[in-house]
Protein backbone atom coordinates (compact mmCIF):
# COMPACT_ATOMS: atom_id res chain seq x y z
CA UNK A 1 0.00 0.00 0.00
CA UNK A 2 2.73 2.47 0.91
CA UNK A 3 5.66 2.64 -1.45
CA UNK A 4 8.69 4.67 -0.53
CA UNK A 5 11.16 5.72 -3.20
CA UNK A 6 14.17 8.06 -3.36
CA UNK A 7 11.87 11.03 -4.00
CA UNK A 8 9.37 10.39 -1.18
CA UNK A 9 12.22 9.60 1.22
CA UNK A 10 13.86 12.89 0.27
CA UNK A 11 10.72 14.90 1.03
CA UNK A 12 10.21 13.08 4.35
CA UNK A 13 13.80 13.27 5.59
CA UNK A 14 14.25 16.81 4.28
CA UNK A 15 11.12 17.98 6.12
CA UNK A 16 12.20 16.30 9.31
CA UNK A 17 15.70 17.74 9.21
CA UNK A 18 14.98 21.24 7.89
CA UNK A 19 11.68 22.04 9.57
CA UNK A 20 12.55 20.79 13.06
CA UNK A 21 15.95 22.41 13.32
CA UNK A 22 15.60 26.17 13.76
CA UNK A 23 17.59 25.85 17.01
CA UNK A 24 20.59 24.80 14.88
CA UNK A 25 20.51 27.98 12.83
CA UNK A 26 23.08 29.94 14.90
CA UNK A 27 25.55 27.06 14.64
CA UNK A 28 25.11 26.83 10.87
CA UNK A 29 25.38 30.59 10.46
CA UNK A 30 28.80 30.52 12.14
CA UNK A 31 29.97 28.59 9.10
CA UNK A 32 28.97 31.28 6.60
CA UNK A 33 31.94 33.64 7.14
CA UNK A 34 34.25 30.60 7.04
CA UNK A 35 32.80 29.56 3.66
CA UNK A 36 32.93 33.12 2.30
CA UNK A 37 36.55 33.63 3.41
CA UNK A 38 37.61 30.49 1.57
CA UNK A 39 35.62 31.32 -1.56
CA UNK A 40 37.29 34.75 -1.67
CA UNK A 41 40.81 33.42 -1.03
CA UNK A 42 42.42 33.33 -4.46
CA UNK A 43 45.32 31.23 -3.18
CA UNK A 44 42.88 28.34 -2.54
CA UNK A 45 41.11 28.45 -5.91
CA UNK A 46 41.62 26.34 -9.05
CA UNK A 47 39.97 27.09 -12.37
CA UNK A 48 38.90 23.47 -12.94
CA UNK A 49 37.08 22.84 -9.67
CA UNK A 50 34.30 24.16 -7.47
CA UNK A 51 33.12 23.92 -3.90
CA UNK A 52 29.74 22.78 -2.62
CA UNK A 53 26.79 25.19 -2.62
CA UNK A 54 24.84 26.38 0.40
CA UNK A 55 22.01 23.84 0.09
CA UNK A 56 24.46 20.95 0.01
CA UNK A 57 26.41 22.46 2.93
CA UNK A 58 23.24 22.70 5.00
CA UNK A 59 22.30 19.12 4.07
CA UNK A 60 25.73 17.84 5.18
CA UNK A 61 25.56 19.90 8.38
CA UNK A 62 22.10 18.60 9.32
CA UNK A 63 22.72 14.93 8.53
CA UNK A 64 26.03 15.05 10.38
CA UNK A 65 24.27 16.54 13.39
CA UNK A 66 21.69 13.73 13.26
CA UNK A 67 24.21 10.90 12.74
CA UNK A 68 26.93 12.32 15.06
CA UNK A 69 29.79 10.53 13.27
CA UNK A 70 33.10 10.27 15.11
CA UNK A 71 35.06 9.15 12.04
CA UNK A 72 34.31 10.77 8.68
CA UNK A 73 36.13 10.10 5.40
CA UNK A 74 35.81 12.29 2.34
CA UNK A 75 36.94 12.08 -1.28
CA UNK A 76 37.47 15.60 -2.69
CA UNK A 77 38.82 18.17 -0.21
CA UNK A 78 39.41 21.23 -2.43
CA UNK A 79 38.77 24.35 -0.26
CA UNK A 80 37.30 22.27 2.56
CA UNK A 81 33.78 23.70 2.80
CA UNK A 82 32.09 20.28 2.81
CA UNK A 83 34.60 19.08 5.44
CA UNK A 84 33.76 22.11 7.58
CA UNK A 85 29.99 21.58 7.23
CA UNK A 86 30.22 17.91 8.29
CA UNK A 87 32.63 18.51 11.17
CA UNK A 88 30.56 21.39 12.49
CA UNK A 89 27.33 19.35 12.43
CA UNK A 90 29.01 16.29 13.92
CA UNK A 91 30.74 18.34 16.62
CA UNK A 92 27.42 19.52 18.05
CA UNK A 93 27.19 16.15 19.82
CA UNK A 94 30.15 17.24 21.97
CA UNK A 95 32.33 14.26 21.02
CA UNK A 96 35.67 14.63 19.22
CA UNK A 97 35.32 14.39 15.44
CA UNK A 98 38.05 12.92 13.28
CA UNK A 99 37.95 13.72 9.59
CA UNK A 100 40.16 12.16 6.91
CA UNK A 101 39.91 13.78 3.50
CA UNK A 102 41.87 13.44 0.26
CA UNK A 103 42.45 15.28 -2.97
CA UNK A 104 44.49 14.37 -6.03
CA UNK A 105 45.11 18.06 -6.69
CA UNK A 106 46.36 20.93 -4.49
CA UNK A 107 43.83 21.68 -1.77
CA UNK A 108 43.54 23.28 1.64
CA UNK A 109 45.63 21.67 4.37
CA UNK A 110 43.36 23.07 7.07
CA UNK A 111 39.76 22.16 6.26
CA UNK A 112 38.66 22.72 9.88
CA UNK A 113 40.32 26.14 10.29
CA UNK A 114 38.03 28.72 11.88
CA UNK A 115 35.72 26.14 13.51
CA UNK A 116 35.10 25.58 17.18
CA UNK A 117 35.00 21.82 17.66
CA UNK A 118 35.09 19.53 20.70
CA UNK A 119 38.55 19.07 22.19
CA UNK A 120 40.45 16.24 20.52
CA UNK A 121 38.88 16.85 17.10
CA UNK A 122 41.14 17.02 14.06
CA UNK A 123 41.56 16.52 10.34
CA UNK A 124 44.06 14.62 8.26
CA UNK A 125 44.46 15.72 4.64
CA UNK A 126 45.83 13.09 2.27
CA UNK A 127 47.37 14.73 -0.77
CA UNK A 128 46.70 11.82 -3.09
CA UNK A 129 44.04 9.48 -4.39
CA UNK A 130 40.99 8.02 -2.70
CA UNK A 131 42.65 4.61 -3.04
CA UNK A 132 45.66 5.80 -1.04
CA UNK A 133 43.40 7.24 1.66
CA UNK A 134 41.21 4.11 1.87
CA UNK A 135 44.32 1.87 1.98
CA UNK A 136 45.70 3.86 4.94
CA UNK A 137 42.35 3.64 6.76
CA UNK A 138 41.95 -0.08 6.05
CA UNK A 139 45.48 -0.79 7.31
CA UNK A 140 44.34 0.62 10.67
CA UNK A 141 41.14 -1.51 10.62
CA UNK A 142 39.13 1.74 10.66
CA UNK A 143 35.34 1.65 10.29
CA UNK A 144 33.64 4.76 8.90
CA UNK A 145 30.62 6.38 10.53
CA UNK A 146 30.20 8.71 7.55
CA UNK A 147 31.57 8.91 4.01
CA UNK A 148 31.26 11.91 1.68
CA UNK A 149 32.03 11.36 -1.99
CA UNK A 150 32.75 14.62 -3.83
CA UNK A 151 35.27 13.03 -6.19
CA UNK A 152 35.13 10.07 -8.53
CA UNK A 153 35.52 6.62 -7.01
CA UNK A 154 38.35 4.54 -8.48
CA UNK A 155 38.10 0.83 -9.25
CA UNK A 156 40.49 -0.18 -6.46
CA UNK A 157 38.43 1.81 -3.92
CA UNK A 158 35.60 -0.70 -3.96
CA UNK A 159 37.34 -3.65 -2.29
CA UNK A 160 38.76 -1.28 0.32
CA UNK A 161 35.33 0.21 0.99
CA UNK A 162 34.04 -3.32 1.63
CA UNK A 163 36.38 -3.32 4.65
CA UNK A 164 35.64 0.25 5.76
CA UNK A 165 31.86 0.52 5.49
CA UNK A 166 29.42 -0.68 8.16
CA UNK A 167 25.68 -1.29 7.93
CA UNK A 168 25.19 2.05 9.68
CA UNK A 169 27.70 4.14 7.71
CA UNK A 170 25.92 7.24 6.41
CA UNK A 171 27.05 7.97 2.84
CA UNK A 172 26.62 11.35 1.14
CA UNK A 173 27.07 11.71 -2.62
CA UNK A 174 27.69 15.11 -4.18
CA UNK A 175 26.51 15.98 -7.70
CA UNK A 176 23.47 13.71 -7.68
CA UNK A 177 21.75 15.23 -10.69
CA UNK A 178 21.57 14.14 -14.32
CA UNK A 179 24.45 11.86 -15.22
CA UNK A 180 26.90 13.68 -12.97
CA UNK A 181 29.43 11.90 -10.77
CA UNK A 182 27.03 11.34 -7.86
CA UNK A 183 25.00 8.86 -9.88
CA UNK A 184 28.15 7.22 -11.24
CA UNK A 185 29.45 6.71 -7.69
CA UNK A 186 26.04 5.38 -6.66
CA UNK A 187 26.10 2.90 -9.53
CA UNK A 188 29.63 1.72 -8.64
CA UNK A 189 28.70 1.21 -4.98
CA UNK A 190 25.53 -0.67 -5.95
CA UNK A 191 27.23 -2.95 -8.49
CA UNK A 192 29.91 -3.77 -5.90
CA UNK A 193 27.16 -4.91 -3.51
CA UNK A 194 28.20 -2.36 -0.90
CA UNK A 195 24.86 -0.67 -0.25
CA UNK A 196 22.38 -3.52 0.15
CA UNK A 197 21.58 -2.22 3.65
CA UNK A 198 21.09 1.38 2.49
CA UNK A 199 18.27 3.37 0.87
CA UNK A 200 19.05 6.07 -1.70
CA UNK A 201 17.56 9.48 -0.90
CA UNK A 202 17.48 12.15 -3.61
CA UNK A 203 18.76 15.67 -2.84
CA UNK A 204 16.23 17.54 -0.69
CA UNK A 205 13.59 19.58 -2.59
CA UNK A 206 14.57 23.25 -3.01
CA UNK A 207 11.37 24.58 -1.42
CA UNK A 208 12.34 23.09 1.94
CA UNK A 209 15.35 25.42 2.16
CA UNK A 210 12.96 28.39 2.19
CA UNK A 211 12.09 27.41 5.76
CA UNK A 212 15.62 28.67 6.48
CA UNK A 213 15.06 31.76 4.24
CA UNK A 214 17.53 30.34 1.76
CA UNK A 215 16.99 30.48 -2.00
CA UNK A 216 19.28 27.59 -2.74
CA UNK A 217 19.25 23.96 -3.79
CA UNK A 218 21.10 20.81 -2.88
CA UNK A 219 22.75 18.28 -5.17
CA UNK A 220 23.69 16.00 -2.27
CA UNK A 221 22.08 12.57 -2.37
CA UNK A 222 22.23 10.29 0.64
CA UNK A 223 22.54 6.58 1.26
CA UNK A 224 20.66 6.13 4.48
CA UNK A 225 21.32 3.00 6.54
CA UNK A 226 18.09 0.98 6.60
CA UNK A 227 18.59 0.45 10.32
CA UNK A 228 18.34 4.22 10.86
CA UNK A 229 14.75 4.29 9.53
CA UNK A 230 12.08 3.70 12.13
CA UNK A 231 8.31 3.97 12.59
CA UNK A 232 6.88 6.13 15.30
CA UNK A 233 3.39 6.53 16.76
CA UNK A 234 3.85 10.29 17.03
C1 LIG B 1 34.21 19.43 -6.40
S1 LIG B 1 35.81 19.35 -5.75
C2 LIG B 1 35.57 19.12 -4.03
C3 LIG B 1 34.97 20.33 -3.32
C4 LIG B 1 35.04 20.22 -1.83
N1 LIG B 1 34.28 19.09 -1.33
C5 LIG B 1 34.58 21.50 -1.17
O1 LIG B 1 33.45 21.54 -0.63
O2 LIG B 1 35.33 22.47 -1.22
C6 LIG B 1 36.29 17.70 -6.23
C7 LIG B 1 37.73 17.39 -5.88
O3 LIG B 1 37.86 15.98 -5.87
C8 LIG B 1 39.15 15.63 -6.30
N2 LIG B 1 39.06 14.22 -6.70
C9 LIG B 1 38.27 13.65 -7.65
N3 LIG B 1 38.38 12.32 -7.64
C10 LIG B 1 39.29 12.01 -6.68
C11 LIG B 1 39.82 10.78 -6.19
N4 LIG B 1 39.43 9.59 -6.67
N5 LIG B 1 40.73 10.84 -5.19
C12 LIG B 1 41.11 12.02 -4.67
N6 LIG B 1 40.63 13.22 -5.08
C13 LIG B 1 39.72 13.21 -6.07
C14 LIG B 1 39.46 16.62 -7.40
O4 LIG B 1 40.87 16.81 -7.50
C15 LIG B 1 38.74 17.88 -6.90
O5 LIG B 1 39.62 18.78 -6.29
Amino acid sequence: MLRLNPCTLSAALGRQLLLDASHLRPSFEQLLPVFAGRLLDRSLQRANSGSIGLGSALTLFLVSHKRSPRLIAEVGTYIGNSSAAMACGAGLAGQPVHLVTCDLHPCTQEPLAGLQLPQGSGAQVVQGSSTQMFQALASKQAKLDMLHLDGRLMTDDLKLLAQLLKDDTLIALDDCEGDEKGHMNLDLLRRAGLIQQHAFVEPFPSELFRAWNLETRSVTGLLLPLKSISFSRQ
Side-chain angles (χ1 to χ4, degrees), residues 46 49-52 74-83 102-105 128-130 148 150-154 157 181:
R46 282 200 328 264
S49 202
S51 187
I52 56 163
E74 175 180 60
V75 179
T77 316
Y78 190 40
I79 65 172
N81 281 353
S82 51
S83 301
C102 68
D103 207 304
L104 285 164
H105 293 109
S129 72
S130 44
H148 180 224
D150 195 4
R152 288 170 190 274
L153 281 176
M154 297 171 157
D157 293 347
K181 68 177 187 290

Side-chain angles (χ1 to χ4, degrees), residues 38-160:
R38 295 174 184 192
L39 288 165
L40 293 170
D41 182 345
R42 293 174 71 103
S43 70
L44 287 176
Q45 309 290 331
R46 282 200 328 264
N48 62 350
S49 202
S51 187
I52 56 163
L54 208 50
S56 290
L58 181 52
T59 299
L60 290 175
F61 168 81
L62 290 172
V63 294
S64 304
H65 167 253
K66 209 61 172 174
R67 175 63 180 79
S68 303
R70 300 183 76 154
L71 178 59
I72 305 172
E74 175 180 60
V75 179
T77 316
Y78 190 40
I79 65 172
N81 281 353
S82 51
S83 301
M86 292 187 287
C88 186
L92 294 176
Q95 299 173 342
V97 182
H98 190 59
L99 176 116
V100 186
T101 177
C102 68
D103 207 304
L104 285 164
H105 293 109
C107 66
T108 180
Q109 296 303 300
E110 295 188 309
L112 307 187
L115 304 185
Q116 291 202 327
L117 295 171
Q119 206 172 12
S121 299
Q124 182 191 352
V125 179
V126 176
Q127 194 71 69
S129 72
S130 44
T131 308
Q132 287 170 295
M133 177 179 74
F134 292 142
Q135 271 165 345
L137 285 164
S139 72
K140 293 183 209 151
Q141 275 86 46
K143 296 284 177 191
L144 304 178
D145 300 314
M146 182 166 177
L147 171 67
H148 180 224
L149 297 177
D150 195 4
R152 288 170 190 274
L153 281 176
M154 297 171 157
T155 312
D156 288 345
D157 293 347
L158 297 165
K159 61 179 183 303
L160 294 161

